[in-house]
Amino acid sequence: STSAPWGAAGAGQCKRVFSHIYRWRADVPQDQRFLVFQLVPTFGAVDVDFVEVEHTSLGTLALLTVAEFSDGGPANSPILRYVTNTYNRLLNARSGLFEDYTTLPTTGAFCLRVVHTPAVGTLLAVANRQTAPYTPGGSLSVYDAESWLHRWNGTHFELLQTLGSDIGSVAEDFDAESGTSPSWARVAGLRGASDFTFFLDSDGESYLLIAQSVCDPMTNTSACKSTTQPMSAVLQWNPYEQRFGEVLAVTRDLHRAFQDKQVTALTATHHRSALRLPAGRIGRW
């Protein structure tokens, strides 16, 4: 989108350019099987994801999410819907197109990641990486942006949770015993949220991993060694509060195994701890 590094001061507003959607073709020579299917105008798009969801009246929808980084500033990140049998000018055939379905207002969006969770449903996790372009040597607070979790409700993605000040960030050189860091103090919120992934453990507990990084996307890991990175957060689904939060010390299955009875909401939520991974240079999981 711009010749200057993404998010660098002075890079200027990212200009609108066309991102390409390719389609696999098995009936052409092997070196030509990914063919350009559609051109989509975007502002600094850095990530896409694809999901099929069930609409209450329209049936199965095929949706493509696009994260508009836009030089680390505000933008409208689109969610496109694939419509079959629509005339495609590029292919000069009724081969279908991705058309506008809705947009999400984002700021420095680095991914719109779709995750399927048995306990929660289909989630759209929006990583708002930063609020403004970063100036080299400046404050890392530009990376302290709220990210969001949306849940599919049958017609659209509605806001489920704001990942805000109740989830803290600490530096890679954070000392747990003293509770301090020589680089920067604990931040109330996610610093440099860049990507999400989800997993279930053997007891069926749901976890959300958040990649956090303040490395410039256009530089390699060696180039950002001088900047102390945030640790990456691991959150757990709390069925009593209906939200992701810090890891619970007592889960339902663990309590049942030792106490032979159902854990109460008070017991489950009373003891929890922050689980962080020293993986601050991870831009993607």
Side-chain angles (χ1 to χ4, degrees):
S1 298
T2 177
S3 59
W6 292 340
Q13 179 63 37
C14 187
K15 294 180 175 58
R16 196 173 201 185
V17 296
F18 286 104
S19 295
H20 293 61
I21 298 175
Y22 291 83
R23 184 174 67 175
W24 175 259
R25 289 281 302 274
D27 58 341
V28 297
Q30 187 170 359
D31 61 345
Q32 303 174 18
R33 287 183 177 176
F34 274 111
L35 302 178
V36 177
F37 175 73
Q38 185 175 344
L39 305 180
V40 179
T42 56
F43 289 92
V46 294
D47 191 69
V48 297
D49 205 355
F50 177 82
V51 63
E52 289 187 338
V53 293
E54 292 301 318
H55 192 281
T56 52
S57 58
L58 300 176
T60 302
L61 298 184
L63 302 178
L64 185 73
T65 67
V66 182
E68 298 273 37
F69 186 67
S70 189
D71 283 338
N76 289 313
S77 292
I79 298 177
L80 308 177
R81 172 195 173 192
Y82 180 69
V83 181
T84 59
N85 298 321
T86 301
Y87 179 70
N88 187 316
R89 290 185 180 182
L90 191 64
L91 302 182
N92 192 25
R94 302 189 67 84
S95 53
L97 280 175
F98 282 95
E99 299 182 351
D100 291 338
Y101 185 69
T102 188
T103 59
L104 290 175
T106 55
T107 173
F110 214 63
C111 83
L112 274 65
R113 184 71 62 236
V114 179
V115 293
H116 297 284
T117 66
V120 192
T122 299
L123 297 180
L124 175 63
V126 180
N128 289 316
R129 187 171 188 262
Q130 59 198 86
T131 59
Y134 173 69
T135 301
S139 173
L140 294 177
S141 61
V142 297
Y143 294 103
D144 302 340
E146 289 185 340
S147 291
W148 310 307
L149 299 177
H150 297 259
R151 178 165 56 188
W152 181 254
N153 66 3
T155 59
H156 63 280
F157 285 102
E158 64 178 353
L159 182 65
L160 172 69
Q161 180 180 347
T162 297
L163 301 174
S165 59
D166 57 326
I167 302 170
S169 296
V170 294
E172 286 181 317
D173 56 6
F174 177 80
D175 181 71
E177 292 187 5
S178 65
T180 61
S181 164
S183 300
W184 41 269
R186 182 185 183 276
V187 175
L190 292 174
R191 171 160 287 182
S194 302
D195 199 9
F196 297 89
T197 192
F198 168 85
F199 74 92
L200 287 172
D201 70 5
S202 58
D203 292 330
E205 296 292 328
S206 303
Y207 296 88
L208 188 70
L209 278 66
I210 306 173
Q212 295 176 243
S213 172
V214 295
C215 286
D216 191 292
M218 292 297 288
T219 62
N220 56 39
T221 55
S222 298
C224 66
K225 283 184 177 179
S226 59
T227 303
T228 302
Q229 302 293 317
M231 290 192 183
S232 293
V234 180
L235 305 181
Q236 183 178 0
W237 176 251
N238 187 321
Y240 306 99
E241 297 179 349
Q242 289 293 293
R243 65 199 311 275
F244 282 95
E246 304 296 6
V247 173
L248 304 175
V250 180
T251 63
R252 289 168 292 182
D253 283 3
L254 184 63
H255 190 271
R256 191 181 300 114
F258 284 95
Q259 300 290 335
D260 195 27
K261 60 182 180 180
Q262 188 69 29
V263 63
T264 65
L266 179 62
T267 301
T269 58
H270 182 64
H271 297 288
R272 63 185 89 189
S273 59
L275 177 58
R276 301 293 184 266
L277 304 177
R281 286 173 180 80
I282 290 183
R284 304 287 183 208
W285 287 115

